[in-house]
């Protein structure tokens, strides 16, 4: 039993030495962006500019950093890569909403941290404002919409909330459009239709003028 205890003690010392003399490069480095250690969402607005500063914590040697915009590599100057690296995102637009920037450790891309842009803006509406159709035909009024936060959408006719008729009107909504379909258009459908978007920021409206001509009218 004494001999067995001695063997166990020697094995314990050996394991301790192995742990103590593991290559220092195996020490896990931690990345931060603007002082944060985890992925996060950054609120911003159109026309603004943000700076993202990535830094290596617990590094034992010079570490190269890489920046990515979505899947595309960001070109960095030679003096903006080692241990600390920054990117400046300027002229932010509505189209940048949801775009992510990721900082990675050059020697180990699995060590990374990401920042997603949350671009906050009021509703932006667009569409074909004038349409002329014949009686009996079908027509679609397509209101393209962008908004963050998401807007509540409504259709109005001649400034009054549109009274939807099940067999005559159909509404379809996606993340980017709000569509009113009118089946077998009648003269009474003639008028101004308003696509209205209401968000917590503000309410916007876009008019669509529908002109219904009698069948075979010149």
């Amino acid at each position: 039993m004494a001999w067995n205890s001695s063997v166990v003690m020697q094995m314990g010392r050996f394991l301790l030495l192995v742990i103590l003399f593991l290559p220092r490069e195996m020490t896990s480095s931690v990345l931060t962006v603007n002082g944060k250690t985890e992925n996060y969402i950054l609120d911003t607005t159109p026309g603004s500019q943000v700076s993202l500063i990535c830094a290596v914590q617990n590094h034992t040697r010079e570490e190269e950093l890489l920046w990515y915009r979505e899947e595309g590599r960001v070109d960095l100057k030679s003096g903006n890569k080692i241990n600390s690296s920054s990117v400046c995102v300027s002229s932010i637009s509505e189209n940048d909403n949801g775009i992510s920037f990721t900082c990675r450790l050059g020697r180990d891309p699995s060590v990374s941290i990401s920042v997603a842009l949350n671009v906050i803006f009021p509703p932006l509406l667009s569409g074909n404002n004038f349409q002329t159709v014949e009686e009996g035909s079908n027509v679609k009024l397509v209101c393209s919409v962008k908004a963050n936060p998401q807007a509540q959408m409504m259709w109005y006719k001649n400034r009054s909330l549109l009274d939807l008729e099940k067999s005559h009107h159909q509404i379809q909504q996606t993340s980017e459009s709000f569509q009113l379909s009118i089946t077998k258009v009648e003269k009474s459908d003639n008028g101004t239709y308003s696509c209205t978007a209401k968000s917590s920021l503000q309410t916007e409206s876009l008019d669509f003028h529908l002109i219904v001509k009698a069948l075979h009218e010149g």
Side-chain angles (χ1 to χ4, degrees):
M1 288 296 291
W3 182 83
N4 287 339
S5 297
S6 175
V7 170
V8 170
M9 288 178 66
Q10 288 180 17
M11 289 180 63
R13 290 194 188 99
F14 175 77
L15 289 173
L16 181 60
L17 289 171
V18 168
I19 293 170
L20 288 174
F21 289 95
L22 280 172
R24 296 182 71 185
E25 288 183 8
M26 292 185 67
T27 302
S28 59
S29 296
V30 175
L31 299 184
T32 62
V33 170
N34 293 0
K36 294 182 171 58
T37 57
E38 296 183 352
N39 298 342
Y40 72 100
I41 296 173
L42 178 63
D43 291 343
T44 184
T45 54
S48 61
Q49 174 178 300
V50 298
S51 293
L52 304 175
I53 303 172
C54 181
V56 188
Q57 310 296 325
N58 305 330
H59 64 87
T60 57
R61 67 174 193 180
E62 289 191 338
E63 297 281 10
E64 181 185 11
L65 296 172
L66 308 174
W67 273 105
Y68 291 83
R69 186 184 192 276
E70 296 290 284
E71 301 302 320
R73 180 94 166 263
V74 177
D75 290 331
L76 300 172
K77 293 182 179 179
S78 58
N80 187 28
K81 296 180 179 181
I82 306 301
N83 295 339
S84 179
S85 178
S86 63
V87 293
C88 182
V89 188
S90 58
S91 301
I92 290 173
S93 73
E94 296 83 6
N95 295 328
D96 293 319
N97 186 45
I99 295 294
S100 65
F101 289 82
T102 302
C103 178
R104 298 185 187 279
L105 198 63
R107 66 178 172 84
D108 185 0
S110 67
V111 179
S112 66
I113 182 170
S114 296
V115 181
L117 299 184
N118 182 38
V119 185
I120 299 170
F121 57 95
L124 301 173
L125 306 178
S126 61
N128 182 7
N129 300 85
F130 291 89
Q131 290 196 54
T132 302
V133 296
E134 288 188 338
E135 279 185 286
S137 61
N138 300 330
V139 67
K140 291 181 180 179
L141 305 180
V142 182
C143 179
S144 297
V145 56
K146 283 186 175 182
N148 185 32
Q150 189 173 1
Q152 180 183 2
M153 305 297 297
M154 302 290 287
W155 277 105
Y156 289 78
K157 181 185 177 185
N158 298 330
R159 308 305 172 197
S160 296
L161 188 63
L162 179 62
D163 185 16
L164 297 174
E165 299 175 27
K166 188 175 181 180
S167 60
H168 192 52
H169 302 108
Q170 184 178 7
I171 288 178
Q172 291 180 312
Q173 184 171 3
T174 69
S175 60
E176 297 184 347
S177 70
F178 189 54
Q179 177 178 296
L180 172 64
S181 299
I182 305 176
T183 305
K184 295 182 180 179
V185 173
E186 304 168 357
K187 267 289 189 180
S188 59
D189 292 315
N190 198 83
T192 299
Y193 293 78
S194 300
C195 170
T196 301
K198 181 180 181 181
S199 80
S200 57
L201 299 178
Q202 66 187 60
T203 299
E204 293 289 341
S205 193
L206 180 67
D207 289 343
F208 291 77
H209 303 283
L210 181 63
I211 301 171
V212 181
K213 298 197 307 181
L215 195 62
H216 307 307
E217 181 181 325

